[in-house]
Amino acid sequence: MLPCLFRRGITSARAPVPDRSQGRHIVASGRAEGRRRFQWEGRSKPVSPSPEKKLLKIVVLSGAGISAESGLPTFRGAGGLWNGVRAETLATPEAFADDPQRVLDFYNFRRTMVRDAEPNAAHRAVAALEQRHQVTVVTQNVDDLHERAGSTDVLHVHGEIMTARSSRTPSLKVAMQDRDIRLGDLAEDGAQLRPDVVWFGETVRHIDDSLDRIRAADRFLVVGTSLQVWPVADWVHHAVNAGERVIVAPELARCPDGFDWLRGNACEHVPRVAERWLDA
Ligand code: OAD
């Protein structure tokens, strides 16, 4: 069985049993200027050095909190999308089968919000790290704010909201741009289009690539995630070679072992961390 996205609170009889040792399906727990004048503020994207001149391998693992200051809601906590809503009524294949219009409305609304949002200082600081370092962003976010800030290597492990796909053939994708997905919109294979996101119980993407990069990372920055959803929550323990492991979050149920926890918002702390690492 392929491991899948899993949230501890919604492991119903319908959800696959998680394999947390090598989880591949989403599962959520019930309980994540000084000296240098940076080029990321108000300037065009800097030219990166060639790959062989890059100093450090950096992985940034991001969650909804990095986009909060761009106006996109998180999932958990006050004002979160799952606050007062059961995720299984909106983010499972069963929900889409039961009430596709409700699920499409939810993702169409979120796609509109993403379209209207702009990358913030934290997204831009992450992108600016590419001026000197080899940077991979592993993100649970379905928005495209990392790319719009200038990051060039972004692994969307929970999919991408700006794309639709066939509900029968996952590889048949359609860029949605300014459009909603409507009932009756069909993919090439004649099946209904659905958001190209990973729902609870579905297989998480880019697992091997993500884990390879995390294991090889010299620096590891985790930002804006509650670490409540498997398998990604477990990946923080795989940065075995990182000389520095930093987590930026205003609150956490528990700080993972070996991390420096910077308590606060992404736009406050991520630019400072990036500044320091750019000086490495
Ligand atoms: P969560 O909503 O679970 O967690 C967001 C985290 O960001 C929380 O710990 C907040 O405290 C923190 N936060 C809020 N504002 C912040 C800010 N300005 N700067 C930094 N951190 C801030 O979101 P994720 O951990 O990303 O999956 O959630 C993981 C997955 O659960 C999502 O991909 C989604 C959700 O269910 C699916 O929909 C399948």
Side-chain angles (χ1 to χ4, degrees), residues 24 57-59 134 136-139 153-157 204-217 220 235 238:
R24 282 171 185 258
K57 295 190 189 78
I58 295 178
V59 173
Q134 185 181 318
T136 298
V137 179
V138 176
T139 188
D153 185 21
V154 184
L155 301 176
H156 284 274
V157 298
V204 171
R205 301 179 189 173
H206 309 297
I207 294 175
D208 294 336
D209 272 357
S210 298
L211 285 172
D212 286 351
R213 313 283 180 93
I214 290 169
R215 287 186 185 119
F220 189 36
W235 294 356
H238 290 259

Side-chain angles (χ1 to χ4, degrees), residues 103-218:
V103 173
L104 291 180
D105 286 347
F106 175 64
Y107 285 94
N108 287 338
F109 171 64
R110 288 179 56 202
R111 190 178 307 102
T112 305
M113 284 198 294
V114 169
R115 206 163 38 214
D116 294 343
E118 294 295 333
N120 62 45
H123 297 107
R124 292 193 293 272
V126 169
L129 283 167
E130 292 187 28
Q131 290 171 37
R132 292 193 78 198
H133 304 301
Q134 185 181 318
V135 183
T136 298
V137 179
V138 176
T139 188
Q140 297 166 92
N141 297 345
V142 296
D143 67 55
D144 58 356
L145 297 184
H146 281 297
E147 288 92 337
R148 282 158 55 193
S151 286
T152 60
D153 185 21
V154 184
L155 301 176
H156 284 274
V157 298
H158 290 176
E160 298 181 60
I161 201 168
M162 303 312 277
T163 309
R165 72 159 173 92
S166 161
S167 46
R168 188 183 307 141
T169 315
S171 58
L172 289 180
K173 305 199 189 217
V174 180
M176 292 316 291
Q177 311 291 358
D178 281 345
R179 287 178 294 143
D180 285 350
I181 306 175
R182 293 161 306 180
L183 273 183
D185 286 348
L186 305 181
E188 273 175 49
D189 62 352
Q192 171 66 44
L193 288 177
R194 55 160 276 185
D196 186 28
V197 301
V198 177
W199 285 326
F200 291 104
E202 295 186 321
T203 304
V204 171
R205 301 179 189 173
H206 309 297
I207 294 175
D208 294 336
D209 272 357
S210 298
L211 285 172
D212 286 351
R213 313 283 180 93
I214 290 169
R215 287 186 185 119
D218 302 305

Side-chain angles (χ1 to χ4, degrees), residues 234-245:
D234 184 56
W235 294 356
V236 297
H237 306 298
H238 290 259
V240 288
N241 289 313
E244 224 183 306
R245 283 168 281 183

